[in-house]
Amino acid sequence: MKYVITLTLLFFSLNIFAQKPCEYNTNVTDSLGTYKSTKEYMISEKNFAGNSSYIFYSLALTDGLPTLSVQIIQKSKDFLKANCFDKNSKLFLQLNNGKIITLIHIDQENCGTMLRDDKGFDNRVNSGIFMFMKDSFEELKNSPVSMMRIKYLTDTEDYILKKEFKSELTNEIYNPENYFINNLKCIE
């Protein structure tokens, strides 16, 4: 009887602590090299007075170089200010343990694309690719992220990352504060 109880407890504990498998959008190896990219994951969602903004992360590994892709989508009937990424743009992540991790934007200017939908909303989609600094992986794997700051060409914006939220857009539950803890293993 003790054997059955022990086996049952072991089985349940393995299910509880099992790691979630990595989900890739792209995973290619060819004569040019290797590239793999995780699926996009919502980090922030704001809906207020007819204005919406969404931020998505995706991790990529290109021939051994890990990067973080950030996609910002804004939707409004009012004027949408363009925040541009350039070679001096940075992404700062403040960890719960007090440390700050800096990611550097690649040398490519991007102010996004403006699209008007059939309901009269302006939609701005802006993407940036950031490189990890040496030795930042271990800190990100071990501590949740409490805040993100994006330094654009002419502006700086802060975002508080929640432990958990339910998206109004997708109706899914997201855990942005643990994004790196759960996903960095996918590009190592």
Side-chain angles (χ1 to χ4, degrees), residues 54-56 69-74 81-86 105 108-114 123-129 150 152:
Y54 309 94
I55 300 177
F56 295 89
S69 296
V70 177
Q71 184 178 57
I72 302 165
I73 301 171
Q74 298 171 294
K81 180 176 76 168
N83 283 326
C84 302
F85 290 117
D86 73 338
H105 190 263
Q108 180 180 0
E109 193 168 310
N110 183 3
C111 293
T113 305
M114 181 74 89
N123 298 278
R124 180 175 299 280
V125 179
N126 194 2
S127 298
I129 300 173
I150 300 176
Y152 297 101

Side-chain angles (χ1 to χ4, degrees), residues 9-169:
L9 286 174
L10 179 64
F11 177 73
F12 283 119
S13 66
L14 287 176
N15 284 338
I16 291 171
F17 295 111
Q19 289 185 351
K20 188 176 176 186
C22 296
E23 296 181 43
Y24 294 104
N25 229 9
T26 308
N27 192 355
V28 177
T29 300
D30 60 14
S31 61
L32 299 175
T34 60
Y35 178 78
K36 65 170 117 177
S37 174
T38 61
K39 287 187 172 185
E40 291 181 341
Y41 190 86
M42 190 180 297
I43 296 299
S44 175
E45 177 180 62
K46 291 181 188 175
N47 295 304
F48 183 74
N51 298 320
S52 302
S53 72
Y54 309 94
I55 300 177
F56 295 89
Y57 279 176
S58 173
L59 292 167
L61 187 66
T62 308
D63 294 328
L65 177 68
T67 56
L68 174 68
S69 296
V70 177
Q71 184 178 57
I72 302 165
I73 301 171
Q74 298 171 294
K75 183 176 184 172
S76 178
K77 286 197 175 186
D78 298 328
F79 175 76
L80 287 172
K81 180 176 76 168
N83 283 326
C84 302
F85 290 117
D86 73 338
K87 65 181 180 180
N88 296 317
S89 294
K90 293 183 176 141
L91 188 137
F92 302 97
L93 300 169
Q94 183 171 351
L95 307 182
N96 282 355
N97 66 11
K99 295 190 179 178
I100 295 176
I101 304 296
T102 304
L103 284 74
I104 307 293
H105 190 263
I106 62 172
D107 192 5
Q108 180 180 0
E109 193 168 310
N110 183 3
C111 293
T113 305
M114 181 74 89
L115 306 165
R116 182 174 288 269
D117 64 19
D118 55 353
K119 295 178 183 172
F121 283 92
D122 287 331
N123 298 278
R124 180 175 299 280
V125 179
N126 194 2
S127 298
I129 300 173
F130 294 86
M131 298 179 292
F132 291 92
M133 302 290 284
K134 188 176 180 179
D135 301 328
S136 61
F137 261 59
E138 286 308 311
E139 292 294 336
L140 286 169
K141 286 195 296 189
N142 294 318
S143 181
V145 179
S146 60
M147 189 171 145
M148 171 180 67
R149 173 174 283 171
I150 300 176
K151 181 189 172 297
Y152 297 101
L153 175 65
T154 58
D155 198 10
T156 300
E157 287 193 28
D158 292 336
Y159 302 90
I160 299 199
L161 299 187
K162 298 177 183 174
K163 184 173 187 146
E164 179 178 287
F165 71 92
K166 184 174 183 179
S167 169
E168 293 177 27
L169 179 69

